[in-house]
Amino acid sequence: MSVTGLRRAASETVSGLPGEFWWLWTSTLVNRLGAFVATFMALYLTLDRGYSASYAGLVAALHGLGGVVASLGAGVMTDRFGRRPTMLIAQISTAVSVAVLGFMVHPVAIAAVAFVVGMASSASRPAVQAMIADIVRPEDRVRAFSLNYWAINLGFAVSSAGAGFVAEYSYLAGFVGEALMTLVCAVVVFMKVPESRPEKAPSTLRGVSPAAADDVRLGTVLRDRRFMGVVGLSFVIALIFQQGYVGLPVAMGTDGFSSSDFGTAVAVNGVLIVVLQIPVTRFIQSRDPRRLLIVSSLLAGYGFGLTAFAGSVAVYALTICVWTVAEIVNAPVQNGLVVQLSPAHGRGRYQGMYTLSWSAAALVAPLMSGVVIDHFGAGWLWGTCAVLGTVAAFGYWLLMRNLPREGETVERGPVGAALAGTGQQLEPALEPTV
């Protein structure tokens, strides 16, 4: 493709999205540019503070547990108080707790503050996802989620390299730097991002009580069987992808590869996402999301499954290419599916439940990889990933085979049932033509 063609493709990928989205996108990029704790926490605790690897693992687990706790609470806040207040509270809390963490020296204090950091840093996710769904047209949402995911990975790729130089100078500078960057995000949201929470449905809607139309509770989400099926499948997919950061380094170390070898191989993931996210977005936005989720699940499972045959850094990098393509496709399409199945006034709670699936996987995946590798060997772990990918693909096929097409009413648990037959449509389905 010529340079002119590339420019036109990029322009078409980013055009047509509202200005509020781009301020939200900027906030996401700035946030990830300042990421330090998630990247260097283990090295900070073991090398700078002299704690054991077991203690570092415990702190990482508490950080993840904080994310699990925050997912549902932040979802409720997003619906009840609004997207913008939730993001501001989360970002300010993250800035303060990250700065405090840099000054903690007692092991109990470090663990406790790490838990708070995990809660605060995860609390904005349901609000961000809900706001994207609020302000972006249904036909553009997969593209918007893809661009937001690209910002996350672009920022993380840059920050990982920069944070390495910062860590050589001062770990404390890294903590303070992340706190300042997070405050910048809060300023951007406060100055440029308006509240987007939909107004409540009128109580005069014939045949539907205000409680049925507006009061979406966590129980409503839990009773939504199709959506909870998506959450379950999301958990399975997340378990697979997490192995790239918990199982893969252990397996490579067991095979005699160094940490730099792992760093070289896994760097392919970030580079591919930064390079391919926009062109792949252009490709998938006109494809059937059912097929995309099925194919991406298979690519994820068998991409990791192929790791069982890797014997060099180059082959490991090749397997990473396979499951990275799956990641690029799966993330925005699955986000679009979550929005499609969520009533407008319950997007925060639905997004919170969806975020919970990833937070829970971040807790379970290290245990899964450790037990399987220790007792059966790495080959069994990669075989398990292939099986999980197959199960997820079959699950998506079952779950989505009767999903309504664009323009049809989507029934979403009690809320969808209440509106069915009233002529009111919660949200058009996202299925584009193939």
Side-chain angles (χ1 to χ4, degrees):
M1 183 181 290
S2 65
V3 175
T4 302
L6 288 173
R7 288 177 178 173
R8 183 173 62 252
S11 176
E12 292 175 356
T13 300
V14 302
S15 64
L17 296 172
E20 296 88 347
F21 168 79
W22 290 112
W23 284 115
L24 193 62
W25 183 90
T26 300
S27 175
T28 298
L29 178 63
V30 172
N31 180 270
R32 299 313 297 169
L33 284 172
F36 180 85
V37 173
T39 308
F40 284 92
M41 189 64 181
L43 291 176
Y44 165 70
L45 292 174
T46 54
L47 297 182
D48 191 67
R49 292 295 186 182
Y51 291 112
S52 66
S54 297
Y55 175 75
L58 172 64
V59 172
L62 287 172
H63 184 274
L65 181 61
V68 171
V69 173
S71 298
L72 296 180
V76 174
M77 287 179 60
T78 297
D79 285 337
R80 182 167 296 178
F81 303 113
R83 285 63 160 137
R84 187 167 175 266
T86 302
M87 281 190 282
L88 289 173
I89 292 171
Q91 289 165 350
I92 293 172
S93 300
T94 300
V96 172
S97 57
V98 165
V100 170
L101 181 60
F103 290 95
M104 294 295 100
V105 293
H106 194 280
V108 175
I110 291 174
V113 177
F115 174 77
V116 175
V117 171
M119 288 184 62
S121 60
S122 298
S124 63
R125 293 175 187 172
V128 171
Q129 302 287 63
M131 181 172 280
I132 292 175
D134 294 339
I135 64 180
V136 176
R137 297 178 302 175
E139 61 268 25
D140 293 331
R141 283 183 188 146
V142 169
R143 182 159 57 103
F145 282 122
S146 182
L147 289 168
N148 191 66
Y149 189 69
W150 183 68
I152 291 172
N153 285 279
L154 176 62
F156 186 76
V158 174
S159 70
S160 297
F165 292 105
V166 173
E168 291 184 1
Y169 169 71
S170 168
Y171 279 97
L172 179 59
F175 286 101
V176 174
E178 178 168 347
L180 292 175
M181 293 291 274
T182 307
L183 283 178
V184 171
C185 294
V187 171
V188 170
V189 170
F190 180 77
M191 298 293 294
K192 296 294 184 178
V193 180
E195 177 57 54
S196 66
R197 182 176 57 169
E199 295 181 4
K200 290 192 174 184
S203 59
T204 57
L205 181 61
R206 190 169 54 183
V208 182
S209 67
D214 296 332
D215 195 7
V216 179
R217 300 182 182 275
L218 287 177
T220 309
V221 184
L222 292 171
R223 291 192 298 272
D224 191 334
R225 290 180 294 178
R226 172 172 278 168
F227 180 79
M228 291 307 298
V230 172
V231 172
L233 292 173
S234 172
F235 174 75
V236 173
I237 290 295
L239 272 181
I240 298 173
F241 285 132
Q242 287 289 330
Q243 297 310 321
Y245 308 99
V246 294
L248 185 61
V250 174
M252 289 187 69
T254 302
D255 288 342
F257 293 95
S258 67
S259 57
S260 61
D261 290 331
F262 167 71
T264 300
V266 81
V268 172
N269 173 258
V271 171
L272 280 181
I273 290 176
V274 171
V275 172
L276 295 181
Q277 189 72 63
I278 289 181
V280 169
T281 295
R282 181 176 169 80
F283 175 80
I284 67 175
Q285 65 185 359
S286 60
R287 270 33 182 206
D288 185 350
R290 297 167 173 82
R291 296 178 184 177
L292 292 173
L293 288 171
I294 291 170
V295 171
S296 64
S297 299
L298 293 173
L299 284 175
Y302 288 95
F304 278 98
L306 289 172
T307 309
F309 304 99
S312 66
V313 174
V315 178
Y316 275 112
L318 181 63
T319 65
I320 291 172
C321 289
V322 177
W323 57 259
T324 296
V325 172
E327 184 182 359
I328 291 171
V329 173
N330 183 272
V333 177
Q334 189 160 243
N335 273 308
L337 176 62
V338 170
V339 174
Q340 179 183 343
L341 297 177
S342 307
H345 295 89
R347 281 177 181 151
R349 288 173 172 85
Y350 274 72
Q351 289 288 349
M353 186 65 70
Y354 171 65
T355 302
L356 176 64
S357 67
W358 284 85
S359 298
L363 279 179
V364 174
L367 299 176
M368 168 184 162
S369 61
V371 170
V372 174
I373 291 175
D374 286 344
H375 290 84
F376 305 102
W380 281 90
L381 176 64
W382 309 130
T384 301
C385 287
V387 171
L388 289 175
T390 305
V391 169
F394 182 67
Y396 279 120
W397 177 78
L398 285 177
L399 193 71
M400 301 180 68
R401 56 182 177 171
N402 296 321
L403 193 68
R405 294 180 179 273
E406 187 171 0
E408 296 176 358
T409 301
V410 179
E411 183 176 333
R412 304 185 185 90
V415 176
L419 290 179
T422 66
Q424 301 294 320
Q425 185 174 323
L426 286 175
E427 195 72 63
L430 285 178
E431 181 183 4
T433 57
V434 179

